[in-house]
């Protein structure tokens, strides 16, 4: 995806300064003076997934391999921002696939999760995007992705009890069609 265009320089600090004033703060007070620049840097970092193409993350680490057992990478930590409130949601992502002649270097899967997490997201959409990216790159027999997350936009505003987890999943190919494959994956994910 293209780098977002800015009219001239970084607009975010001025916007944050205006927002601080709007919230009733004094942007000139000492503790807040560097805040607009810090918020800008933090937001750029937390959305740097827009500047990375998921296929580039995987490309170069796909290997031909005669291995046809399930590959599972579980408990991948992630931190994202919800696209509705720009507040954090975070938790763990579990990814599995059944290879069909191709495998991907294991470190690339957490990296792929990070690329999608570092965008404004919906948990449901992120879950599907991770599954589809892996499916597109490896053409495996199937892919399963489970995401468990806490959403601060719900917890901090009292919409949901603190600590409550939202769980989403996306199953493709044999993970969708074959209950035994799906059960094996979910069993591996649940195992401590
Ligand atoms: Zn939200």
């Amino acid at each position: 995806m293209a780098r977002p265009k800015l009219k001239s320089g970084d607009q975010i600090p001025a916007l944050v300064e205006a927002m601080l004033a709007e919230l009733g703060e004094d942007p000139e007070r000492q503790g807040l003076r560097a805040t607009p620049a810090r918020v800008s840097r933090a937001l750029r970092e937390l959305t740097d997934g827009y500047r990375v193409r998921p296929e580039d993350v995987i490309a170069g680490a796909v290997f031909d391999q005669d291995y046809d057992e399930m590959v599972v990478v579980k408990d991948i930590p992630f931190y994202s921002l919800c696209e509705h409130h720009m507040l954090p949601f975070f938790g763990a992502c579990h990814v599995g696939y059944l290879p069909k002649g191709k495998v991907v270097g294991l470190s690339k899967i957490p990296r792929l999760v990070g690329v999608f997490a570092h965008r404004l997201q919906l948990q449901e959409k992120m879950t599907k995007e991770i599954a589809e990216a892996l499916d597109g790159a490896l053409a495996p027999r199937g892919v399963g992705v489970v995401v468990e997350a806490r959403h601060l936009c719900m917890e901090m505003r009292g919409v949901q009890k603190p600590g409550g987890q939202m769980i989403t999943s996306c199953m493709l190919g044999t993970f969708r069609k074959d209950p035994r494959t799906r059960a094996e994956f979910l069993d591996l994910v649940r195992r401590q």
Side-chain angles (χ1 to χ4, degrees):
M1 200 172 286
R3 186 181 287 264
K5 286 199 180 68
L6 293 175
K7 276 169 234 150
S8 58
D10 188 354
Q11 312 280 310
I12 293 178
L15 295 169
V16 172
E17 200 178 320
M19 187 172 73
L20 287 170
E22 192 65 30
L23 290 172
E25 265 292 357
D26 170 15
E28 294 301 316
R29 75 176 171 83
Q30 200 190 10
L32 288 178
R33 242 175 260 159
T35 297
R38 278 195 211 101
V39 172
S40 175
R41 280 197 300 276
L43 282 176
R44 300 277 179 207
E45 183 184 336
L46 298 178
T47 57
D48 61 9
Y50 287 120
R51 298 191 286 279
V52 183
R53 286 169 8 123
E55 49 270 39
D56 291 345
V57 170
I58 299 176
V62 176
F63 310 103
D64 293 330
Q65 183 64 254
D66 229 2
Y67 182 79
D68 60 2
E69 297 295 326
M70 191 177 292
V71 178
V72 175
V73 184
K74 58 186 256 181
D75 299 322
I76 303 165
F78 77 89
Y79 296 86
S80 189
L81 294 173
C82 82
E83 68 180 27
H84 292 153
H85 305 91
M86 293 177 71
L87 288 172
F89 72 98
F90 60 96
C93 180
H94 316 290
V95 177
Y97 69 99
L98 258 181
K100 194 168 70 186
K102 281 182 189 168
V103 297
V104 64
L106 283 188
S107 68
K108 300 298 178 182
I109 292 179
R111 174 90 182 99
L112 186 69
V113 170
V115 166
F116 287 115
H118 272 204
R119 299 173 178 193
L120 299 183
Q121 275 291 7
L122 290 173
Q123 184 178 333
E124 299 89 329
K125 184 170 72 145
M126 187 180 85
T127 307
K128 191 159 174 268
E129 283 175 346
I130 295 165
E132 286 175 348
L134 210 55
D135 194 50
L138 299 179
R141 292 183 206 284
V143 178
V145 176
V146 172
V147 176
E148 305 171 89
R150 291 176 57 186
H151 289 250
L152 293 190
C153 66
M154 292 197 282
E155 295 187 28
M156 293 176 78
R157 297 184 312 136
V159 180
Q160 194 191 63
K161 259 197 226 135
Q165 298 256 345
M166 173 165 158
I167 302 178
T168 50
S169 69
C170 178
M171 304 286 166
L172 303 175
T174 48
F175 284 63
R176 173 178 286 272
K177 282 177 274 178
D178 180 1
R180 278 181 314 175
T181 301
R182 187 167 57 239
E184 183 188 345
F185 171 59
L186 294 175
D187 186 51
L188 287 168
V189 163
R190 280 190 207 112
R191 199 173 291 172
Q192 293 302 312

